[in-house]
Amino acid sequence: MKKNFVEELRWRGMLAQMMPGTEELLQRETVSAYLGTDPTADSLHIGHLCGIMMLRHLQHCGHRPIILVGGATGMIGDPSGKSQERNLLDADTLYHNQEAIKAQVARFLNFDDSLPNPALMVNNYDWMRQFTFLDFAREVGKHITVNYMMAKESVQKRLNGEAHDGLSFTEFTYQLLQGYDFLYLYQHHGVKLQLGGNDQWGNMTTGTELIRRILGTNQEVEAYALTCPLITKADGTKFGKTESGNIWLDPKRTSPYRFYQFWLNVSDADAERYIKIFTSLDKDTIDSLIDEHRTDPGRRTLQRRLAEEVTVLVHGQQALQAAQDASAILFGKSTKESLTRLDEETLLDVFEGVPQYTLSRSELGKPAVELFTTPDVQIFPSRGEMRKLTQGGGVSVNKERLDTFDRTITADDLIDDKFILVQRGKKNYYLVIVK
């Protein structure tokens, strides 16, 4: 007996809507299901993770996951939930983005063909590029009325929205193109289920309707749709965005340290929801973690386990260890060795927000008390203050206690040949950038 995919989503809080008969289909047979994503960037961000985790759970429940990269639809832009039309991308950019996304998705899904249900990645550009406008109008467009398309909530929102920008014909055709994707996959890969975010419900049901109208007269049609809810924070605000923008899966866009810190800093209420949605931990384990966390919230048991699980899934065990080591530099005991292991991007992420000073390289070779009390690098208000703190063991340079206040600072003290980290007391850090 296969694990119940719908029940798995339900207890995790990942089920919004599904068409009647969906659960019965999934219990009756091994189902191929797909989820689409537009390659509008060369990385997914954590806003995509709920959908990707749906595919991951689907595969764990014995079904076949298919990820569709919208090389064709990505050239148009989907009006669902958007207030304006997307910028259109050229074919070379879309291909680059697709390859980057494929590498990221491979961390979540198993593409091994020796499995009975290997994951598959497809690109709708492969079947849309030879489709002429006249062919599309004749073979697809005639089956769905404008009235049907106009009734969709996503279309109505754009037509009646406050911006009054209207809806271009290009965008209006998007639901037909997405509907045709489902028809194509139904015919060529036996796909009977489309997964997606709840904002996609209108486009997804257009696909089931298109299959029914084109194929339903000659055969028994089984095409279904299932959505996950829009993930928000407990206060109702948008999930996955920070002051600096999206939290990306690409380590070049969001460092593993910053990624780890995002999950570590979510609220208690959000941690209880997110650990169900964004990890593969089973119900008993999660229930136990929730109980442990509620007994002593100050230990942040849920946030720590959540951050560990998601960081390993996206970046790997080594990146998690590096992120934890980096966190310990600010919030725990660490050594100069752990500081020197940081790459420049992570070091700057760790010390974002701490006072930073610029020092000319020609100033190296002078005593610490002279360098760190000048108007340009005024870490200490006076030489006397620095002398007193140093003698009391309260000053460190690069996580090593400064024994004498007049010790010479040289190029050997530089981290990555560029940085000096000065610590005054237990919690006051200062980053000196040598140029």
Side-chain angles (χ1 to χ4, degrees):
M1 189 70 178
K2 286 195 295 287
K3 195 174 179 182
N4 189 319
F5 173 61
V6 172
E7 186 55 40
E8 185 75 10
L9 296 187
R10 190 176 280 124
W11 78 258
R12 290 182 182 275
M14 297 174 69
L15 181 62
Q17 298 184 79
M18 64 176 172
M19 294 179 65
T22 304
E23 188 168 7
E24 292 78 4
L25 172 77
L26 287 157
Q27 285 295 91
R28 188 171 64 246
E29 61 186 78
T30 298
V31 175
S32 293
Y34 90 97
L35 178 139
T37 183
D38 284 340
T40 48
D42 61 359
S43 173
L44 301 174
H45 54 73
I46 59 175
H48 295 106
L49 272 185
C50 186
I52 301 300
M53 289 303 293
M54 287 174 79
L55 289 176
R56 182 175 173 86
H57 293 310
L58 181 90
Q59 189 168 37
H60 286 173
C61 289
H63 303 287
R64 189 183 195 198
I66 296 177
I67 179 86
L68 181 146
V69 177
T73 42
M75 292 180 171
I76 293 174
D78 173 15
S80 300
K82 310 296 187 300
S83 59
Q84 55 187 355
E85 188 164 354
R86 288 177 180 171
N87 294 327
L88 308 186
L89 303 177
D90 60 69
D92 288 343
T93 302
L94 286 165
Y95 178 77
H96 165 76
N97 293 353
Q98 173 197 325
E99 292 304 297
I101 289 170
K102 184 175 183 179
Q104 290 178 345
V105 172
R107 297 193 65 91
F108 296 82
L109 305 176
N110 193 333
F111 288 83
D112 185 352
D113 284 335
S114 66
L115 293 173
N117 61 332
L120 176 69
M121 176 172 274
V122 294
N123 185 344
N124 62 8
Y125 185 66
D126 292 338
W127 57 82
M128 291 302 303
R129 61 186 170 188
Q130 303 297 334
F131 218 156
T132 68
F133 178 77
L134 291 177
D135 287 340
F136 190 81
R138 183 176 65 247
E139 296 178 26
V140 179
K142 71 176 183 179
H143 295 284
I144 301 292
T145 66
V146 171
N147 302 47
Y148 179 88
M149 296 170 70
M150 290 283 288
K152 297 295 183 181
E153 184 181 1
S154 59
V155 173
Q156 288 297 316
K157 279 184 177 178
R158 282 293 299 277
L159 291 177
N160 303 318
E162 294 179 5
H164 299 296
D165 289 334
L167 187 69
S168 72
F169 174 77
T170 305
E171 287 182 293
F172 186 57
T173 59
Y174 188 96
Q175 63 173 289
L176 280 183
L177 292 169
Q178 186 170 331
Y180 181 75
D181 286 341
F182 198 172
L183 173 65
Y184 182 92
L185 293 173
Y186 185 96
Q187 292 177 303
H188 293 84
H189 294 282
V191 173
K192 295 184 179 180
L193 175 63
Q194 183 178 177
L195 307 174
N198 209 31
D199 60 338
Q200 291 289 312
W201 182 254
N203 291 343
M204 292 162 70
T205 53
T206 296
T208 62
E209 184 68 11
L210 188 64
I211 291 169
R212 187 184 67 80
R213 293 188 182 187
I214 292 179
L215 303 178
T217 55
N218 301 320
Q219 58 182 283
E220 183 68 27
V221 169
E222 289 188 302
Y224 300 90
L226 182 154
T227 63
C228 63
L230 176 67
I231 308 301
T232 58
K233 297 178 185 176
D235 60 8
T237 57
K238 192 168 185 179
F239 161 76
K241 287 224 173 183
T242 64
E243 290 180 6
S244 56
N246 284 319
I247 303 295
W248 299 91
L249 306 195
D250 185 342
K252 296 185 183 68
R253 288 173 173 256
T254 300
S255 71
Y257 166 78
R258 190 186 291 271
F259 185 88
Y260 175 77
Q261 285 293 319
F262 170 83
W263 300 102
L264 200 61
N265 290 313
V266 301
S267 70
D268 289 351
D270 285 335
E272 285 197 18
R273 293 169 54 235
Y274 295 168
I275 200 164
K276 296 174 184 175
I277 296 169
F278 300 112
T279 79
S280 295
L281 296 174
D282 61 54
K283 191 175 188 303
D284 288 343
T285 301
I286 289 175
D287 287 344
S288 177
L289 286 167
I290 290 173
D291 288 342
E292 184 182 342
H293 181 89
R294 289 177 178 175
T295 302
D296 185 3
R299 293 181 60 195
R300 299 181 73 76
T301 301
L302 275 180
Q303 285 91 338
R304 290 182 186 281
R305 187 62 181 273
L306 171 67
E308 289 170 7
E309 292 288 330
V310 185
T311 304
V312 166
L313 191 56
V314 173
H315 295 298
Q317 185 66 45
Q318 190 174 348
L320 169 65
Q321 188 61 55
Q324 290 174 326
D325 290 346
S327 299
I329 290 170
L330 265 186
F331 307 115
K333 293 181 180 180
S334 61
T335 63
K336 181 179 180 180
E337 183 183 356
S338 60
L339 192 63
T340 57
R341 284 200 299 264
L342 299 183
D343 59 80
E344 181 175 334
E345 181 186 11
T346 301
L347 186 142
L348 291 173
D349 278 347
V350 170
F351 296 105
E352 182 185 28
V354 309
Q356 295 185 7
Y357 300 99
T358 302
L359 181 71
S360 170
R361 191 171 287 270
S362 62
E363 296 291 302
L364 295 176
K366 294 181 179 180
V369 69
E370 187 175 330
L371 290 181
F372 302 144
T373 59
T374 65
D376 290 336
V377 188
Q378 196 162 24
I379 295 172
F380 303 91
S382 67
R383 294 188 177 205
E385 176 82 9
M386 181 177 175
R387 182 187 298 112
K388 183 179 177 181
L389 273 171
T390 304
Q391 290 171 345
V395 178
S396 295
V397 172
N398 298 332
K399 303 301 288 186
E400 293 182 340
R401 183 175 293 177
L402 191 65
D403 295 326
T404 58
F405 66 92
D406 58 353
R407 179 172 81 75
T408 302
I409 301 297
T410 70
D412 291 337
D413 290 301
L414 299 184
I415 300 295
D416 202 22
D417 197 37
K418 190 173 184 179
F419 304 103
I420 303 171
L421 180 68
V422 181
Q423 189 174 352
R424 191 182 79 190
K426 288 186 177 181
K427 298 182 179 179
N428 298 308
Y429 289 93
Y430 305 85
L431 190 64
V432 180
I433 303 171
V434 179
K435 293 185 177 179

